[in-house]
Amino acid sequence: MERGWPEPVSAVFMKDDSYSTVAERWLRAELLARVGRDAEAVRWYGSLTEDISRGLLFPTAAHLPRGEALERLGRPAEAAAEYRRFIALFSAADAEWAPALAGARARSSRLPPAL
């Protein structure tokens, strides 16, 4: 983690899914959040929308852990907004998302309304 991110991939390869870095950026954000580096994790979760070649699942699902990190950073209004986005996007999702959805609803209900 401390050595930094790999060298940028040539732009010619960015159109090919096999060269996407979205999964690696998700992993980096998750690892940063797990070691308490929430400010950095929030930025990495935010970077997921830069590459949607793998679909929208990563940036869409990132609303939940981004909200959790913002909550730990003492930014409750922003966290509530992230939870509400997650809830809106996943409210009709498959049953496998039900626990995450319930958690987002519970967290959101404890926070003040978003700005």
Side-chain angles (χ1 to χ4, degrees):
M1 293 281 296
E2 298 302 327
R3 290 190 332 199
W5 197 244
E7 291 297 317
V9 176
S10 172
V12 73
F13 296 115
M14 293 307 286
K15 295 187 186 309
D16 186 328
D17 282 350
S18 64
Y19 290 95
S20 172
T21 61
V22 70
E24 290 83 358
R25 285 183 279 143
W26 172 274
L27 176 61
R28 186 175 182 87
E30 289 285 295
L31 293 173
L32 287 165
R34 289 179 189 191
V35 297
R37 292 168 58 178
D38 293 314
E40 291 172 85
V42 166
R43 288 192 301 272
W44 279 99
Y45 285 123
S47 79
L48 299 174
T49 59
E50 295 171 8
D51 179 0
I52 60 169
S53 64
R54 296 269 181 169
L56 297 176
L57 180 60
F58 283 102
T60 304
H63 289 296
L64 178 58
R66 187 174 161 94
E68 293 166 344
L70 287 164
E71 194 174 353
R72 288 189 299 269
L73 287 168
R75 295 161 58 182
E78 292 172 82
E82 292 293 333
Y83 293 143
R84 280 194 284 283
R85 284 185 201 112
F86 182 85
I87 292 164
L89 293 166
F90 282 85
S91 61
D94 293 338
E96 68 187 85
W97 288 96
L101 192 56
R105 284 186 174 127
R107 288 178 171 275
S108 178
S109 70
R110 294 192 306 262
L111 297 174
L115 301 175

